Amino acid sequence: NHSPEVLSHPETADADHSGSIEMKESIALALALTVNNIGVGVAASVAGVSVWPATLLTFVTSLLAIKLGAGFGQQFIAGLLGLYASFLSGFVIFVVGLASLLA
């Protein structure tokens, strides 16, 4: 399991360097993100947040954010910043993780 490596360097999820993430690679990425969500779940329970509404809201928000982010990335960012896309995606995930840690 390469969870910490995938979270800090998401481009490593594309193990065969094909430029797209196939099903097997997406499962590894999903497992890495699940490890991250366990930490969020522990923090939410400590804060007294109700589990089911928080889970549902996180699920719906994640789906929307992924859809919007993928569309935005394909339409605008990839063309403008193609060479730096892997670095920027890793940086965004790092900032989100850091914000979650500090919140």
Side-chain angles (χ1 to χ4, degrees):
N1 188 356
H2 302 288
S3 296
E5 182 180 358
V6 171
L7 288 175
S8 61
H9 301 287
E11 67 275 6
T12 61
D14 184 17
D16 62 3
H17 306 289
S18 65
S20 64
I21 297 179
E22 286 80 26
M23 182 60 73
K24 184 178 178 182
E25 296 165 335
S26 68
I27 291 170
L29 181 57
L31 290 173
L33 293 172
T34 298
V35 170
N36 183 58
N37 287 339
I38 290 171
V40 172
V42 169
S45 68
V46 168
V49 175
S50 180
V51 173
W52 290 111
T55 302
L56 181 61
L57 185 60
T58 300
F59 175 72
V60 171
T61 304
S62 292
L63 287 178
L64 290 172
I66 289 169
K67 182 69 175 164
L68 291 171
F72 183 75
Q74 286 177 342
Q75 293 293 324
F76 304 105
I77 302 299
L80 294 173
L81 305 172
L83 294 176
Y84 304 103
S86 290
F87 171 77
L88 289 174
S89 65
F91 181 74
V92 168
I93 289 176
F94 173 77
V95 169
V96 169
L98 186 61
S100 295
L101 180 67
L102 297 175

